[in-house]
Amino acid sequence: MSRTRGRRRRGIFEPRESLTDEEVDHGLKLVIRDGLTTQAMVTLTGGIFLVAFALQLGASNTVVGLLAAIPPLAELLQIPSIYIVERVRKRRLVVVAASLAARLCWIPIILIPFFLSPERGIFVLILSIALYASFSAVSHCGWNSWMRDLIPQDRLGAFFSHRLTLSTAVALVISLVAGFFIDSWEAVFPDLAAYGYSLLFLLGLIAGLIGITFLARTPEPRMVVEEAEDGFFAAIRKPFADLNFRNLVIFLGSWNFAVNLASPFFTVYMLQRIGLDVSLVVALSVLSQVMNIVFYRSWGQVSDRFSNKSVLAVSGPLFMLAIFAWMFVTLPDVYVLTYPLLILIHILMGISLAGVSLASGNIGLKLAPKGQATSYLAASTFANSVAAGVAPILGGLFVDFFAKRELIWTLVWRSPVRELVFVTLDLQQWEFFFLFAFILGLYSLHRLTAVQEEGEAKEQEVVNELLAGVRRDMRNFSPAGGLRDMVKFPFSSLRNHQKRSSKEPPKEETVDEEGTEPPDSRRP
C-alpha cells in the first residue's frame, strides 16, 4: 500500500499523453480559480500598496525607481528559462515550484515592521522583490507554454477574455476595500501604519498559496519539443538585420523608456506632493482600469479593421497628452483644477493604454516572420525589458537633483491701477520628468512612422471607428475585454508551436500566470 502511495506521489507532476474533454474542462476551471486568487495576491502586494509601504519605510526616489525596474529586468530570465522548461519537460512542476518559491519571498517583507529598522527593511524589501520577480519569470515561461497546450486553440481568446473579466472585477473590488482599510488603519494607528501593509501582504500571500493548490491539480498534456535549426543566440540576431522589425524594436524600446521614466512616480507624486489618501489614489487607478476595459474591445475592432500601427498612431499621442497634463496638476500647489485634471488624466491613460498595450503586442506578432517568431519576439522583449528597467532607475537617481530646481513661466498684466500675475507653468522635481517623458514619447512616435504595416489608415478614420465601436458597446455594455498586457511573451510556447501549422493563427491575448497588472504594473 505504501509503495503504491509513493508511486502516486512521485507521479503527481507527470504529464499525460492526452486529456479527455472532461479533464480539459476541469483544468480550465482550476485555471480560472488560480487566476482569481493570483489576481488577489497581485492586487494586495503590488502597485500602489507596495510603493506606499516603501514610502512608509522612508524609501528614497531611487529606491522607488529600483522597485519599478526590478520586474521588467527580471523578465529577461524568461530567455534562459526556456532551456529549464525544455530540459525538465514537466511544466506543472516548474511552475508550481517557481511560484511557491516566489510567493514565499513575501514572508520577509511581511515581517519587516516587526523585526527590522527602516534602513534594513528597505534592503530586505529590494532583495525580496528581486527574488520574487526572478522566480516569477521562470514560472511565466512554463505557464504560458502549458496553457497553450491545455486550452483548445478555438477557445483561447474567449477563455482569456473571460478570465481577465473575472480577474479585473476581483482586482477592482479588492483594491478599493484595501485602500479604505489602509486609510482607516492609519487613522486609528498613526504610529503603526507599516503594520497595516504587512496585514495586506499576509492576506495576499495566503491568496497566492491557495492559487498554487489549484495549479498543482491542473492537468498537463505532454510537452512536445522540436529542435531548432539554428542556435538561439544566432537566431536572435536575425531580427536586427530586418530593417522594418528593427524600426519596430527602436520604437517600442524608446516608448517603454519614455513611459517608465515617469509612470513609477505617479503614485509618489499623488501621495507626497498632492497629499492624497491611499483610498483616493486607488479610486483613481480603478477609474483608469474601468476605462481600459470599456475601450479594450473597441481598440481591438479598430486593429482588426485597419492596422496595429493605426491604433498606436492615435492611442500613443493620447497617452502622451495625459503625461503632459501631469505638469499642470499643481501650480505649484493644489488649486481649483487639480482634482478635475487628475480625473481627466486617469481617464485618458485608461483609454490610451488599452490601445497601446493591445497594438504594441499584436504588431510584433504580425511583423515577425513565420517560423522565426521566437527569436524576433525575444529580441523585442529584450529591448522592452531593458528600456523599462533602466528608465525608472535613472529617474530615481536624478529626481533628487531636480528637488532644488524650479522652472516658472508666468504672464504679467500691468495697468495703471493694478498688476496681475498668472502662473502658467511651474516645474519642480517630478514635473521635470513628466516633461522629459513627454519629449521622449514624441520622439518614439516619430520612430513609429518608419514602421511599415499593411492596412494603415488616417487618424480621423481610426477615431471615427473607435467612437462608433464605443457607442455600440455602451448600448449593450459588457465588461468583456481585459487589462493591459504584462509584456511577458511566451517564448517557449512559440518555440514548441511555430512549426506545427502553416495556417495563420488567430489573434489572441496571452496572459501570464501572475495575473493582470499591474503595467504596468509590471509597476507602481
Side-chain angles (χ1 to χ4, degrees), residues 33-180:
R33 294 171 188 172
D34 166 61
L36 297 179
T37 53
T38 298
Q39 184 61 61
M41 177 183 179
V42 171
T43 302
L44 291 171
T45 60
I48 295 170
F49 301 116
L50 178 60
V51 173
F53 177 68
L55 295 177
Q56 281 289 337
L57 296 178
S60 65
N61 294 310
T62 302
V63 171
V64 172
L66 184 58
L67 290 174
I70 288 173
L73 290 177
E75 285 305 312
L76 295 174
L77 293 175
Q78 277 205 49
I79 296 176
S81 296
I82 295 172
Y83 297 98
I84 297 177
V85 172
E86 292 185 353
R87 184 174 182 84
V88 176
R89 300 196 182 187
K90 296 180 182 179
R91 291 164 295 186
R92 179 167 50 167
L93 175 61
V94 172
V95 171
V96 169
S99 296
L100 179 61
R103 295 173 189 189
L104 291 178
C105 291
W106 281 95
I107 293 178
I109 298 176
I110 294 169
L111 298 177
I112 286 175
F114 298 92
F115 299 105
L116 298 176
S117 64
E119 293 77 12
R120 292 183 178 179
I122 291 173
F123 173 78
V124 171
L125 176 63
I126 295 173
L127 179 61
S128 298
I129 292 296
L131 292 173
Y132 168 74
S134 300
F135 285 119
S136 295
V138 178
S139 173
H140 299 157
C141 182
W143 188 86
N144 284 311
S145 172
W146 178 11
M147 292 302 107
R148 281 291 188 96
D149 287 347
L150 174 65
I151 304 170
Q153 295 296 307
D154 59 349
R155 296 168 60 183
L156 270 174
F159 175 78
F160 279 121
S161 176
H162 178 60
R163 187 175 186 265
L164 278 168
T165 300
L166 296 178
S167 298
T168 301
V170 168
L172 297 185
V173 173
I174 289 179
S175 59
L176 285 174
V177 173
F180 284 113

Side-chain angles (χ1 to χ4, degrees), residues 134-415:
S134 300
F135 285 119
S136 295
V138 178
S139 173
H140 299 157
C141 182
W143 188 86
N144 284 311
S145 172
W146 178 11
M147 292 302 107
R148 281 291 188 96
D149 287 347
L150 174 65
I151 304 170
Q153 295 296 307
D154 59 349
R155 296 168 60 183
L156 270 174
F159 175 78
F160 279 121
S161 176
H162 178 60
R163 187 175 186 265
L164 278 168
T165 300
L166 296 178
S167 298
T168 301
V170 168
L172 297 185
V173 173
I174 289 179
S175 59
L176 285 174
V177 173
F180 284 113
F181 165 77
I182 287 296
D183 286 340
S184 301
W185 179 278
E186 291 183 354
V188 177
F189 307 106
D191 297 329
L192 303 173
Y195 293 84
Y197 292 100
S198 287
L199 181 56
L200 285 189
F201 298 159
L202 175 61
L203 294 175
L205 173 61
I206 293 172
L209 294 178
I210 293 173
I212 290 178
T213 65
F214 296 134
L215 283 174
R217 293 158 49 199
T218 304
E220 177 195 356
R222 187 166 299 281
M223 179 178 179
V224 178
V225 180
E226 297 186 22
E227 297 296 330
E229 296 179 0
D230 300 318
F232 181 80
F233 292 102
I236 205 173
R237 290 194 293 267
K238 292 182 180 179
F240 297 100
D242 184 328
L243 178 60
N244 192 40
F245 201 86
R246 186 168 70 241
N247 288 331
L248 175 64
V249 170
I250 294 174
F251 159 69
L252 292 175
S254 58
W255 174 267
N256 277 283
F257 186 89
V259 171
N260 286 279
L261 184 66
S263 59
F265 301 100
F266 291 158
T267 298
V268 182
Y269 184 82
M270 289 186 285
L271 290 174
Q272 291 191 338
R273 178 73 178 274
I274 304 177
L276 298 183
D277 292 334
V278 172
S279 58
L280 187 52
V281 177
V282 171
L284 289 170
S285 175
V286 168
L287 172 63
S288 183
Q289 292 179 37
V290 169
M291 298 308 298
N292 197 291
I293 296 170
V294 171
F295 278 83
Y296 197 87
R297 182 193 298 179
S298 298
W299 283 121
Q301 293 169 347
V302 172
S303 174
D304 290 339
R305 179 171 178 179
F306 299 111
S307 68
N308 297 293
K309 180 181 174 181
S310 300
V311 171
L312 290 170
V314 175
S315 59
L318 193 62
F319 185 77
M320 286 299 110
L321 178 62
I323 288 184
F324 184 75
W326 277 101
M327 294 186 291
F328 300 92
V329 171
T330 57
L331 287 175
D333 298 312
V334 176
Y335 67 115
V336 66
L337 293 180
T338 293
Y339 292 100
L341 267 178
L342 283 174
I343 294 173
L344 177 62
I345 287 170
H346 281 82
I347 290 174
L348 290 178
M349 288 197 301
I351 295 172
S352 57
L353 278 173
V356 170
S357 62
L358 173 71
S360 60
N362 284 350
I363 194 172
L365 282 169
K366 187 174 180 179
L367 297 185
K370 291 182 180 180
Q372 301 181 51
T374 299
S375 59
Y376 271 65
L377 290 164
S380 175
T381 300
F382 179 85
N384 294 343
S385 298
V386 171
V390 171
I393 294 177
L394 293 179
L397 288 173
F398 287 106
V399 71
D400 292 330
F401 171 81
F402 291 101
K404 298 180 180 179
R405 272 76 177 173
E406 187 174 8
L407 177 63
I408 304 175
W409 185 8
T410 60
L411 296 177
V412 180
W413 168 263
R414 291 191 179 96
S415 69

